[in-house]
Amino acid sequence: MKLTDNVLRSFRVAKVFRENSDKINCFDFSPNGETVISSSDDDSIVLYDCQEGKPKRTLYSKKYGVDLIRYTHAANTVVYSSNKIDDTIRYLSLHDNKYIRYFPGHTKRVVALSMSPVDDTFISGSLDKTIRLWDLRSPNCQGLMHLQGKPVCSFDPEGLIFAAGVNSEMVKLYDLRSFDKGPFATFKMQYDRTCEWTGLKFSNDGKLILISTNGGFIRLIDAFKGAVLHTFGGYNNSKAVTLEASFTPDSQFIMIGSEDGKIHVWNGESGMKVAVLDGKHTGPITCLQFNPKFMTFASACSNMVRKWPLSSS
């Protein structure tokens, strides 16, 4: 089934999960699309089975808290940042609920975490104005970059370069093999003092970069030239909440939730809004991602909501 404007308009809520007592701050689909894992401000990690549509397991990180959870390439393992006590990143085996490794180094909260799509490398960005490069096999930081401000960062789909958004006004592209030499491209954007950048993502075809903000707009830029292709707005975010924006897996559509529980979808090529879906949420939709393999997507406030198109249910 191919994603079209009409198919996107036909998406409806299929299931609501109320496992959490506080905001879900992050979730991540497994690469095969069969499971999704969430982290929440209530210190819980919930694993859901996407095919059966039910929660499988709940684990807790009460001492350190849990945020920015990401699957690694090894089965049943995740990395996540802490939001209590310290700013260490933790590598957890879900199978036996044991830590495999700790990654200490950041001195303030980690606000960006991106796993390489091809190997055991990951990058983290922190309010300590650094980006660190890690390898899952070693607790030692493999590379360190000092920046002028708060970073957001992400790998490209081939795992060869990563992008860093700095100071909410420029995107720098680095080659992983020689990032200590500095960025090979820098794109300066118009600075908007009404909001700050909260996320950065590449499209699956590697041609586009999506910049999310805690304001009322998100930006789509050309990943090669840095030109702003579209600015998408018209959704509610009056309280400067961090709302996750995402591409659909075919790189054709861009979606974001809003503080009133609605989901807005645009066509990336035309820039036109194609749908506003009712997410049935009780609060702002902080997390939103499309399943990489199946025709469903999930959104979250303190509840996790799964959606699929009417024509396939």
Side-chain angles (χ1 to χ4, degrees):
M1 191 173 175
K2 192 173 179 298
L3 276 179
T4 62
D5 294 8
N6 282 335
V7 169
L8 275 161
R9 279 193 279 269
S10 81
F11 271 80
R12 296 293 181 269
V13 170
K15 209 143 199 183
V16 180
F17 301 100
R18 297 183 175 87
E19 311 302 305
N20 295 97
S21 59
D22 205 336
K23 181 185 88 169
I24 293 171
N25 51 43
C26 185
F27 64 75
D28 194 33
F29 281 102
S30 60
N32 63 10
E34 289 173 8
T35 60
V36 63
I37 194 158
S38 69
S39 55
S40 167
D41 288 354
D42 64 13
D43 306 332
S44 71
I45 296 168
V46 184
L47 182 66
Y48 299 87
D49 185 313
C50 292
Q51 286 160 310
E52 292 185 18
K54 61 184 188 190
K56 275 169 68 163
R57 284 186 76 190
T58 301
L59 308 172
Y60 291 95
S61 180
K62 288 202 176 293
K63 185 175 177 185
Y64 305 108
V66 54
D67 197 356
L68 298 178
I69 198 157
R70 304 277 184 258
Y71 274 108
T72 72
H73 301 294
N76 270 326
T77 60
V78 292
V79 289
Y80 64 82
S81 64
S82 318
N83 50 18
K84 292 179 176 179
I85 294 190
D86 64 14
D87 304 289
T88 298
I89 296 163
R90 291 176 163 78
Y91 181 21
L92 178 70
S93 163
L94 301 173
H95 164 66
D96 51 7
N97 195 19
K98 288 198 167 72
Y99 291 117
I100 303 167
R101 197 159 282 117
Y102 302 103
F103 304 96
H106 284 300
T107 56
K108 287 189 177 166
R109 193 161 72 88
V110 174
V111 290
L113 195 58
S114 177
M115 192 78 215
S116 163
V118 295
D119 60 21
D120 285 339
T121 311
F122 68 97
I123 48 175
S124 57
S126 160
L127 295 178
D128 64 14
K129 300 180 183 175
T130 66
I131 286 177
R132 288 176 180 261
L133 179 69
W134 309 89
D135 188 304
L136 283 174
R137 296 162 293 192
S138 164
N140 303 319
C141 172
Q142 306 292 301
L144 174 63
M145 290 161 42
H146 291 276
L147 305 163
Q148 296 301 306
K150 173 191 165 181
V152 287
C153 54
S154 183
F155 278 99
D156 84 317
E158 290 173 342
L160 296 173
I161 66 170
F162 67 87
V166 189
N167 269 0
S168 301
E169 62 178 344
M170 63 183 82
V171 175
K172 295 172 180 272
L173 299 183
Y174 294 85
D175 187 309
L176 209 59
R177 292 153 300 192
S178 57
F179 78 94
D180 49 336
K181 295 185 172 64
F184 65 84
T186 300
F187 309 137
K188 199 146 172 34
M189 309 277 140
Q190 189 180 347
Y191 180 62
D192 187 318
R193 62 182 53 141
T194 63
C195 62
E196 61 176 26
W197 294 1
T198 53
L200 183 149
K201 287 183 184 179
F202 279 89
S203 56
N204 273 347
D205 61 10
K207 295 176 180 174
L208 306 166
I209 294 174
L210 181 60
I211 297 168
S212 8
T213 74
N214 62 358
F217 67 91
I218 50 179
R219 279 207 181 106
L220 187 66
I221 69 168
D222 183 300
F224 301 105
K225 302 186 184 126
V228 176
L229 302 173
H230 297 292
T231 300
F232 303 117
Y235 57 92
N236 292 347
N237 190 14
S238 62
K239 299 188 181 76
V241 179
T242 297
L243 304 171
E244 182 179 20
S246 288
F247 289 99
T248 50
D250 61 5
S251 308
Q252 302 301 307
F253 297 93
I254 288 94
M255 23 192 352
I256 193 169
S258 62
E259 67 183 8
D260 60 5
K262 300 271 197 298
I263 292 158
H264 297 250
V265 187
W266 295 268
N267 183 307
E269 196 167 347
S270 69
M272 301 296 289
K273 189 174 285 190
V274 297
V276 179
L277 306 170
D278 183 2
K280 304 272 193 257
H281 281 282
T282 53
I285 298 175
T286 44
C287 307
L288 177 71
Q289 282 177 40
F290 215 98
N291 188 306
K293 299 292 182 197
F294 301 106
M295 189 62 84
T296 69
F297 71 90
S299 56
C301 55
S302 59
N303 299 332
M304 172 83 83
V305 179
R306 186 175 166 211
K307 302 168 187 67
W308 54 44
L310 278 182
S311 43
S312 72
S313 57

